[in-house]
Every structure is written in C-alpha cells, then in structure tokens.
Amino acid sequence: MSEEGKKETRYVSVKENLAYGFANAGQVFGYNLVAGGYLSIFFTKVFGLPEKAVATMILILGIWDTVNDPLIGGIIDRTRTRYGKLRPYLLIVPVPLAAATVMLFAGPEILSDAKSVTVKIIYMYISYFIWEFFYTIGDVPFWGMSTAISPSPSDRTRAISTARFISGILGGLSTTFLVIMMDFSNNGVWGLTLSQDFLILSLVAAVMILGLFSLAGRKTKERVVQSVKEPSVIDGFKIMLKNKPLMLIILGNVIGALGGLAGVFQTYYFSEVLNLNSAVLWINLPGTIFGFLTYLLIPKLKRKLDNRQIVILNLVCRAVVGTLVFTIGLKFYNSSVLVISILLMIQNFIFSFFNTVNMVIPTEMIGDTVDYMEWKTGERNEGISFSVLTFVGKLTGSISTSIGTAILPVIGLNFTKNAAGEPVTLKGDHTDLYIWALFTLIPYLLGLLSLVPYLFYDLTGKKLEGIRTDMKIRREKLSKEVSGGGKNEE
C-alpha cells in the first residue's frame, strides 16, 4: 500500500460500518436457506417435486436473472432522490422480501393435501420468482452501497469486510439451526416435520429482514457524488458491455459455475451418505473460527498480492486440496465418520482462508470497474455493475444447483414417499462414491477453467492507482458543480 493510501480520509464511522454489517446479516439469514443444496433438497425431498422439474425451474429463472438483474440495476442508476439513488430501494424492500421468504418455504404446508404435482410445480415457480424479484431489488443497491458509501478504497474494504464478517456469524445461524432441526426431525427427537423446520426458519428470516436488513436504508449514507444527468437503461447496458474488466469477471464466474457443485453435494453427502446433517457443524467449526480471523489478514495479503493474483491463487489451491482430500478419503467416505470428519476439518480449515478472501475481493473488483468506467465515461453505474454481482452469483448458483439436481437420478439418487407420506431415499450401488467425487474433487478441477479470463484482467497496480488519483480530482470538481460551486453539503 502506498503512503498516499495510508493517509486516506476516513468517511465511514464504526457505527455506520456496524449498521451495514448487521444489515447484511439480516439479508443473508434468509438467503442461506436458498443457497447451495438446501433449496434443491427442500424442493425434491421435502416438497416432493420431480428432480427434472426442479432443475428446469432453477435454470430458467437463473437465465432470466441475466436480463432481470441488469434491468433493475439500470433503473436504479436512473434514480435521483434527496436520499440518493440506492437508499430508497433499501428503505422499501424489507417488507415484501420478508413476506416472499415465508411464501417460498410455506408451500409444503399450504399444499399438504394437494394431490396434483402440477399445482405444486406452479406454486414453486411463482413463489421462487417473487422471492428472486424482491431479493434482487434489495441486493443490487445493497452492494452498490459498498462503493457509494465512500470514495476511499480503505473505507470500502472495511465496509465489505464488516458486512461479510457479521453476516458470517449471524447469517450463518440459519443453516446451523436447519441441520440440527433436520436431524431432530429425521430421528424423531421432536414432532416437527422437515417442512415445518423450513417454515419456522423462514419466519425467523422474515423477522431478521425486517429488523436488521432495513438498517441498510435507515443508517447508511451515499457519499460518492453522482452526475446530475440520469443515464438511460439502454446506455447503462452499453456501458456495462464496454466495461472490459467487468466482462472478464462475469466470464470467469460463469465458467466457474460448476465449482458450485461442491456446495450442492455437500448437503447431499451429509444428508444421504453420512445420514448426519449436523456433522457439517463440527467439521466446519475450526475453519469458521479461522475464517473470521482471516478478515484481519486481508490488508496484509493485499500488500503482497493484487486482487487478480489472489483470485488465481484461490482457484489453484482449491483444486490441489480437493484432489488430495478425494484420494485420501476413498477408503473412508462412507464407512468412518471420524476419519472423514478429521479430513474435512483440515480441508475446510484451509478453504476458510480463501472463502473469507472470496467474500471481499470480488466485490472490491467490481467496485474498481465502476471507478474505471466513471474514469472513461464520466458516469457511475453502481446499479448495473453490482447487478452483475447479484445475477452472476444467482446464475452460477442456479446453474450448479440445476445441474446437481438434474444428475441426481443419473447417479442413482431418488426420493419417494412411504405410506405415511414421509420422504424415503433410494440409492444405487455407486451413488455414495459419485456424491463423494462431486463434493470433493470434480467441482474444483472444473473450477480451474475460470482461470482463463483472469489472465487478461489488467485493472491492477499502477493502472488502477492512476485511475483512483484522477477520480479523486474529478470528484472534487463535480462536488462543487452539484452544490452550485459552494461548499459540499452534508
């Protein structure tokens, strides 16, 4: 870090950083119920829907997000109010998002007596579409705020790190509770069904959204001055397509979508191979603790490596560690919970470092592309650019979840119902091995393909530093123009 970077003015207070962090926790609590394999297992095993129908729905809506999210981002970029262009959406969205979260997971209870699978599939499409719509309206401006909250890169890093850190603790509680509740239900510890487990947690998520996510609109402030001109949605799309660094980030993430299969099959591994959902808790515990400490190491890491180098290191290390874990675990993956637990603890401990870094660096990189296009065109496009963060995350998640769900019958994993209406699992001779490979090895090897676009990403080093210096001067001039040539307004 340069001497100039060390002397940067700090605009964002600790209190505002905490508000931003707790807001993210309120949002993530509900999102984690949808992420990875939990949505797949909810629709197939709990709701009792055909794997192909679930895979198709997730893929279709994932592709729709590639249009819908940038469209909403473009609308956000046109917004000009006395509250800013991002905060109005953050003030409004918590109520409908909370309701949509409950609706999404209430299907099995609402339609418990429904005989028609078609009716259930229609409900799945409608409820998931509504949830996705309101989640996008909240998520795009929330992460756009990580750039608009301050012109200082150090402020932005602190805001993103705080958001990820707090959401990692509080937001992660939803899946912690879920796996424990699922084991309780499967083993008859209490009288709740799996569908009731999901519904209860969706109600808790709604409360978290209303109480915490709403802080993003009420307690944060946009400080980077916007141009008076309102760019059209079409112009926003054109600028996005001309943003070469952003396009490379998108391409890298889309190519690496199959790496998300690990998250999908982690859920199925603990549920259907080990038959112990809560094993994920103690297996992830050492890595989770180390992961939180890693936030303190990010500034030091960034002094040694630029963002592109960190991304490349992440992908390579995952592939190497995944290969070793798969090979060592071949004799134990379905026979020794103790050995597998130790092996996966070591893997997750190593991965936790990169997981934490991965929660901060890509968001920073997109923020850099916003500055880059402002430098080139004079227009800031947080809405369009951070819609990329949202839709790429959802698209890659949709692709991995859709593919993972679609190949369940291929690897011999099927779900049916017994006479009492309880879910029953059917497996082939080699199903457990396939799940182990899809959990530990295949996703990380496929993830290496996403290295290619990053080889051409050059928004680093002196080029990026020069852009930031130029933009500091320009923003000071723009601020005077917006305020009529007088002093900056609070």
Short mmCIF file of all heavy atoms in Angstrom, two decimals, residues 147-192:
data_model
loop_
_atom_site.label_atom_id
_atom_site.label_comp_id
_atom_site.label_asym_id
_atom_site.label_seq_id
_atom_site.Cartn_x
_atom_site.Cartn_y
_atom_site.Cartn_z
N THR A 147 -19.69 0.69 -2.63
CA THR A 147 -18.84 1.61 -3.39
C THR A 147 -19.25 3.05 -3.16
O THR A 147 -18.41 3.94 -3.02
CB THR A 147 -18.92 1.28 -4.90
OG1 THR A 147 -18.39 -0.03 -5.12
CG2 THR A 147 -18.12 2.27 -5.72
N ALA A 148 -20.57 3.31 -3.11
CA ALA A 148 -21.07 4.68 -2.96
C ALA A 148 -20.90 5.21 -1.54
O ALA A 148 -20.97 6.42 -1.33
CB ALA A 148 -22.54 4.74 -3.36
N ILE A 149 -20.65 4.33 -0.59
CA ILE A 149 -20.57 4.75 0.81
C ILE A 149 -19.35 5.64 1.07
O ILE A 149 -19.34 6.42 2.02
CB ILE A 149 -20.53 3.50 1.74
CG1 ILE A 149 -20.96 3.88 3.16
CG2 ILE A 149 -19.16 2.85 1.75
CD1 ILE A 149 -21.21 2.67 4.05
N SER A 150 -18.33 5.54 0.19
CA SER A 150 -17.13 6.35 0.39
C SER A 150 -16.26 6.34 -0.86
O SER A 150 -16.21 5.32 -1.57
CB SER A 150 -16.32 5.79 1.57
OG SER A 150 -15.07 6.45 1.68
N PRO A 151 -15.56 7.42 -1.13
CA PRO A 151 -14.59 7.42 -2.24
C PRO A 151 -13.28 6.73 -1.86
O PRO A 151 -12.42 6.51 -2.71
CB PRO A 151 -14.37 8.91 -2.50
CG PRO A 151 -14.61 9.57 -1.17
CD PRO A 151 -15.70 8.77 -0.52
N SER A 152 -13.11 6.41 -0.59
CA SER A 152 -11.86 5.82 -0.10
C SER A 152 -11.86 4.30 -0.26
O SER A 152 -12.75 3.62 0.26
CB SER A 152 -11.68 6.17 1.38
OG SER A 152 -10.70 5.33 1.98
N PRO A 153 -10.88 3.71 -0.96
CA PRO A 153 -10.78 2.25 -1.09
C PRO A 153 -10.69 1.54 0.27
O PRO A 153 -11.23 0.46 0.44
CB PRO A 153 -9.49 2.05 -1.90
CG PRO A 153 -9.34 3.32 -2.68
CD PRO A 153 -9.84 4.40 -1.77
N SER A 154 -10.00 2.17 1.23
CA SER A 154 -9.88 1.55 2.56
C SER A 154 -11.23 1.50 3.27
O SER A 154 -11.57 0.51 3.92
CB SER A 154 -8.88 2.34 3.42
OG SER A 154 -7.59 2.31 2.86
N ASP A 155 -12.03 2.56 3.12
CA ASP A 155 -13.38 2.57 3.68
C ASP A 155 -14.21 1.46 3.07
O ASP A 155 -14.98 0.78 3.75
CB ASP A 155 -14.07 3.91 3.40
CG ASP A 155 -13.84 4.93 4.52
OD1 ASP A 155 -13.45 4.51 5.62
OD2 ASP A 155 -14.06 6.12 4.29
N ARG A 156 -14.08 1.29 1.76
CA ARG A 156 -14.86 0.27 1.07
C ARG A 156 -14.47 -1.12 1.55
O ARG A 156 -15.34 -1.97 1.77
CB ARG A 156 -14.64 0.39 -0.44
CG ARG A 156 -15.16 1.69 -1.03
CD ARG A 156 -14.79 1.78 -2.51
NE ARG A 156 -15.18 3.06 -3.07
CZ ARG A 156 -14.98 3.39 -4.35
NH1 ARG A 156 -14.37 2.55 -5.16
NH2 ARG A 156 -15.37 4.57 -4.79
N THR A 157 -13.18 -1.35 1.70
CA THR A 157 -12.72 -2.65 2.18
C THR A 157 -13.26 -2.93 3.57
O THR A 157 -13.71 -4.03 3.88
CB THR A 157 -11.17 -2.70 2.22
OG1 THR A 157 -10.66 -2.50 0.89
CG2 THR A 157 -10.69 -4.05 2.74
N ARG A 158 -13.23 -1.91 4.44
CA ARG A 158 -13.76 -2.08 5.80
C ARG A 158 -15.26 -2.36 5.77
O ARG A 158 -15.75 -3.22 6.52
CB ARG A 158 -13.46 -0.85 6.65
CG ARG A 158 -12.06 -0.79 7.21
CD ARG A 158 -11.90 0.34 8.22
NE ARG A 158 -11.95 1.65 7.58
CZ ARG A 158 -10.88 2.31 7.15
NH1 ARG A 158 -9.68 1.79 7.31
NH2 ARG A 158 -11.00 3.50 6.58
N ALA A 159 -15.99 -1.65 4.91
CA ALA A 159 -17.44 -1.85 4.84
C ALA A 159 -17.77 -3.26 4.36
O ALA A 159 -18.62 -3.95 4.94
CB ALA A 159 -18.08 -0.81 3.91
N ILE A 160 -17.11 -3.70 3.31
CA ILE A 160 -17.35 -5.04 2.77
C ILE A 160 -16.95 -6.11 3.79
O ILE A 160 -17.68 -7.08 4.02
CB ILE A 160 -16.58 -5.25 1.45
CG1 ILE A 160 -17.09 -4.28 0.39
CG2 ILE A 160 -16.72 -6.69 0.96
CD1 ILE A 160 -16.21 -4.19 -0.84
N SER A 161 -15.77 -5.93 4.41
CA SER A 161 -15.29 -6.91 5.39
C SER A 161 -16.23 -6.99 6.58
O SER A 161 -16.52 -8.09 7.08
CB SER A 161 -13.87 -6.54 5.85
OG SER A 161 -12.96 -6.57 4.78
N THR A 162 -16.71 -5.84 7.06
CA THR A 162 -17.63 -5.84 8.19
C THR A 162 -18.93 -6.54 7.83
O THR A 162 -19.46 -7.34 8.62
CB THR A 162 -17.95 -4.38 8.63
OG1 THR A 162 -16.73 -3.73 8.99
CG2 THR A 162 -18.88 -4.37 9.84
N ALA A 163 -19.44 -6.25 6.63
CA ALA A 163 -20.68 -6.89 6.19
C ALA A 163 -20.52 -8.40 6.11
O ALA A 163 -21.38 -9.16 6.57
CB ALA A 163 -21.10 -6.31 4.84
N ARG A 164 -19.42 -8.84 5.52
CA ARG A 164 -19.20 -10.28 5.37
C ARG A 164 -18.94 -10.95 6.72
O ARG A 164 -19.40 -12.07 6.98
CB ARG A 164 -18.02 -10.52 4.43
CG ARG A 164 -18.20 -10.00 3.02
CD ARG A 164 -19.34 -10.66 2.30
NE ARG A 164 -19.32 -10.37 0.87
CZ ARG A 164 -20.21 -10.80 0.00
NH1 ARG A 164 -21.24 -11.52 0.41
NH2 ARG A 164 -20.13 -10.49 -1.29
N PHE A 165 -18.21 -10.26 7.59
CA PHE A 165 -17.86 -10.84 8.89
C PHE A 165 -19.11 -11.05 9.74
O PHE A 165 -19.35 -12.14 10.27
CB PHE A 165 -16.88 -9.90 9.61
CG PHE A 165 -16.48 -10.38 10.98
CD1 PHE A 165 -15.49 -11.34 11.13
CD2 PHE A 165 -17.08 -9.88 12.12
CE1 PHE A 165 -15.12 -11.79 12.39
CE2 PHE A 165 -16.72 -10.32 13.38
CZ PHE A 165 -15.74 -11.27 13.52
N ILE A 166 -19.93 -10.01 9.88
CA ILE A 166 -21.12 -10.11 10.74
C ILE A 166 -22.14 -11.07 10.13
O ILE A 166 -22.76 -11.87 10.85
CB ILE A 166 -21.74 -8.72 10.96
CG1 ILE A 166 -20.76 -7.84 11.74
CG2 ILE A 166 -23.05 -8.83 11.73
CD1 ILE A 166 -21.24 -6.42 11.97
N SER A 167 -22.28 -11.03 8.81
CA SER A 167 -23.24 -11.95 8.19
C SER A 167 -22.76 -13.40 8.30
O SER A 167 -23.57 -14.32 8.35
CB SER A 167 -23.45 -11.59 6.72
OG SER A 167 -22.29 -11.82 5.95
N GLY A 168 -21.43 -13.57 8.35
CA GLY A 168 -20.90 -14.92 8.52
C GLY A 168 -21.26 -15.50 9.87
O GLY A 168 -21.43 -16.72 10.01
N ILE A 169 -21.38 -14.64 10.88
CA ILE A 169 -21.75 -15.11 12.22
C ILE A 169 -23.26 -15.24 12.36
O ILE A 169 -23.77 -16.33 12.60
CB ILE A 169 -21.22 -14.13 13.29
CG1 ILE A 169 -19.69 -14.07 13.25
CG2 ILE A 169 -21.68 -14.58 14.68
CD1 ILE A 169 -19.10 -13.02 14.19
N LEU A 170 -23.98 -14.15 12.17
CA LEU A 170 -25.43 -14.16 12.39
C LEU A 170 -26.19 -14.80 11.23
O LEU A 170 -27.11 -15.59 11.43
CB LEU A 170 -25.93 -12.74 12.61
CG LEU A 170 -25.43 -12.02 13.87
CD1 LEU A 170 -26.06 -10.64 13.98
CD2 LEU A 170 -25.76 -12.84 15.12
N GLY A 171 -25.79 -14.44 10.00
CA GLY A 171 -26.47 -15.01 8.84
C GLY A 171 -26.29 -16.50 8.74
O GLY A 171 -27.19 -17.22 8.29
N GLY A 172 -25.12 -16.98 9.17
CA GLY A 172 -24.85 -18.41 9.10
C GLY A 172 -25.64 -19.25 10.10
O GLY A 172 -25.67 -20.48 10.00
N LEU A 173 -26.29 -18.59 11.05
CA LEU A 173 -27.06 -19.34 12.05
C LEU A 173 -28.25 -20.07 11.44
O LEU A 173 -28.71 -21.07 11.99
CB LEU A 173 -27.56 -18.38 13.15
CG LEU A 173 -26.50 -17.83 14.11
CD1 LEU A 173 -27.15 -16.85 15.09
CD2 LEU A 173 -25.82 -18.95 14.88
N SER A 174 -28.77 -19.57 10.31
CA SER A 174 -29.94 -20.22 9.71
C SER A 174 -29.64 -21.66 9.31
O SER A 174 -30.42 -22.58 9.59
CB SER A 174 -30.43 -19.44 8.49
OG SER A 174 -29.43 -19.33 7.50
N THR A 175 -28.48 -21.89 8.67
CA THR A 175 -28.15 -23.25 8.27
C THR A 175 -27.68 -24.08 9.47
O THR A 175 -27.85 -25.30 9.48
CB THR A 175 -27.08 -23.24 7.17
OG1 THR A 175 -25.98 -22.41 7.58
CG2 THR A 175 -27.64 -22.68 5.89
N THR A 176 -27.11 -23.43 10.47
CA THR A 176 -26.75 -24.15 11.70
C THR A 176 -28.00 -24.71 12.35
O THR A 176 -28.06 -25.90 12.70
CB THR A 176 -26.04 -23.21 12.69
OG1 THR A 176 -24.84 -22.72 12.11
CG2 THR A 176 -25.71 -23.94 13.99
N PHE A 177 -29.01 -23.88 12.51
CA PHE A 177 -30.28 -24.33 13.08
C PHE A 177 -30.93 -25.37 12.19
O PHE A 177 -31.50 -26.36 12.66
CB PHE A 177 -31.23 -23.15 13.28
CG PHE A 177 -30.79 -22.17 14.33
CD1 PHE A 177 -31.09 -20.81 14.20
CD2 PHE A 177 -30.07 -22.58 15.44
CE1 PHE A 177 -30.68 -19.90 15.16
CE2 PHE A 177 -29.66 -21.68 16.41
CZ PHE A 177 -29.97 -20.34 16.27
N LEU A 178 -30.85 -25.17 10.87
CA LEU A 178 -31.54 -26.05 9.93
C LEU A 178 -31.04 -27.49 10.02
O LEU A 178 -31.84 -28.43 10.12
CB LEU A 178 -31.38 -25.54 8.50
CG LEU A 178 -32.01 -26.41 7.41
CD1 LEU A 178 -33.51 -26.54 7.61
CD2 LEU A 178 -31.71 -25.84 6.02
N VAL A 179 -29.71 -27.68 10.00
CA VAL A 179 -29.19 -29.05 10.01
C VAL A 179 -29.50 -29.75 11.33
O VAL A 179 -29.75 -30.96 11.36
CB VAL A 179 -27.68 -29.08 9.71
CG1 VAL A 179 -27.41 -28.60 8.30
CG2 VAL A 179 -26.88 -28.25 10.71
N ILE A 180 -29.49 -29.00 12.44
CA ILE A 180 -29.83 -29.59 13.73
C ILE A 180 -31.31 -29.98 13.75
O ILE A 180 -31.68 -31.08 14.17
CB ILE A 180 -29.53 -28.61 14.88
CG1 ILE A 180 -28.01 -28.37 14.99
CG2 ILE A 180 -30.07 -29.15 16.20
CD1 ILE A 180 -27.64 -27.31 15.99
N MET A 181 -32.15 -29.09 13.27
CA MET A 181 -33.59 -29.36 13.24
C MET A 181 -33.91 -30.53 12.32
O MET A 181 -34.79 -31.36 12.62
CB MET A 181 -34.34 -28.10 12.79
CG MET A 181 -34.27 -26.97 13.81
SD MET A 181 -34.85 -25.37 13.16
CE MET A 181 -36.62 -25.66 13.09
N MET A 182 -33.21 -30.63 11.19
CA MET A 182 -33.44 -31.75 10.27
C MET A 182 -33.08 -33.08 10.92
O MET A 182 -33.79 -34.08 10.77
CB MET A 182 -32.63 -31.55 8.99
CG MET A 182 -33.17 -30.42 8.09
SD MET A 182 -32.10 -30.10 6.67
CE MET A 182 -32.39 -31.58 5.68
N ASP A 183 -31.95 -33.11 11.65
CA ASP A 183 -31.58 -34.34 12.36
C ASP A 183 -32.60 -34.68 13.45
O ASP A 183 -32.94 -35.85 13.65
CB ASP A 183 -30.18 -34.20 12.98
CG ASP A 183 -29.08 -34.45 11.97
OD1 ASP A 183 -29.37 -34.97 10.88
OD2 ASP A 183 -27.92 -34.10 12.25
N PHE A 184 -33.08 -33.68 14.15
CA PHE A 184 -34.12 -33.90 15.17
C PHE A 184 -35.38 -34.50 14.55
O PHE A 184 -35.98 -35.43 15.09
CB PHE A 184 -34.46 -32.59 15.88
CG PHE A 184 -33.46 -32.17 16.92
CD1 PHE A 184 -32.33 -32.92 17.18
CD2 PHE A 184 -33.66 -31.01 17.66
CE1 PHE A 184 -31.40 -32.54 18.14
CE2 PHE A 184 -32.75 -30.61 18.63
CZ PHE A 184 -31.61 -31.37 18.86
N SER A 185 -35.77 -33.96 13.40
CA SER A 185 -36.98 -34.45 12.72
C SER A 185 -36.77 -35.86 12.18
O SER A 185 -37.64 -36.73 12.33
CB SER A 185 -37.37 -33.51 11.57
OG SER A 185 -37.75 -32.25 12.06
N ASN A 186 -35.62 -36.11 11.57
CA ASN A 186 -35.34 -37.44 11.00
C ASN A 186 -35.25 -38.53 12.05
O ASN A 186 -35.59 -39.69 11.80
CB ASN A 186 -34.03 -37.40 10.20
CG ASN A 186 -34.16 -36.62 8.91
OD1 ASN A 186 -35.24 -36.51 8.34
ND2 ASN A 186 -33.05 -36.07 8.43
N ASN A 187 -34.80 -38.14 13.26
CA ASN A 187 -34.62 -39.13 14.32
C ASN A 187 -35.72 -39.11 15.37
O ASN A 187 -35.61 -39.75 16.42
CB ASN A 187 -33.26 -38.91 15.00
CG ASN A 187 -32.09 -39.17 14.06
OD1 ASN A 187 -31.89 -40.27 13.59
ND2 ASN A 187 -31.32 -38.13 13.77
N GLY A 188 -36.78 -38.38 15.09
CA GLY A 188 -37.94 -38.38 15.99
C GLY A 188 -37.71 -37.72 17.34
O GLY A 188 -38.41 -38.03 18.31
N VAL A 189 -36.72 -36.80 17.41
CA VAL A 189 -36.44 -36.12 18.67
C VAL A 189 -37.58 -35.19 19.04
O VAL A 189 -37.88 -34.99 20.21
CB VAL A 189 -35.11 -35.35 18.58
CG1 VAL A 189 -34.84 -34.55 19.86
CG2 VAL A 189 -33.95 -36.32 18.31
N TRP A 190 -38.22 -34.62 18.02
CA TRP A 190 -39.42 -33.81 18.28
C TRP A 190 -40.45 -34.11 17.21
O TRP A 190 -40.20 -34.84 16.25
CB TRP A 190 -39.10 -32.34 18.34
CG TRP A 190 -38.44 -31.73 17.12
CD1 TRP A 190 -38.42 -32.20 15.83
CD2 TRP A 190 -37.70 -30.51 17.10
NE1 TRP A 190 -37.72 -31.38 15.01
CE2 TRP A 190 -37.27 -30.32 15.75
CE3 TRP A 190 -37.37 -29.55 18.04
CZ2 TRP A 190 -36.52 -29.22 15.35
CZ3 TRP A 190 -36.64 -28.46 17.64
CH2 TRP A 190 -36.21 -28.30 16.32
N GLY A 191 -41.62 -33.52 17.37
CA GLY A 191 -42.74 -33.85 16.49
C GLY A 191 -42.83 -33.03 15.23
O GLY A 191 -43.82 -33.13 14.51
N LEU A 192 -41.82 -32.21 14.94
CA LEU A 192 -41.85 -31.37 13.75
C LEU A 192 -41.41 -32.15 12.52
O LEU A 192 -40.52 -33.01 12.59
CB LEU A 192 -40.94 -30.15 13.93
CG LEU A 192 -41.30 -29.17 15.05
CD1 LEU A 192 -40.25 -28.07 15.13
CD2 LEU A 192 -42.67 -28.57 14.83
#
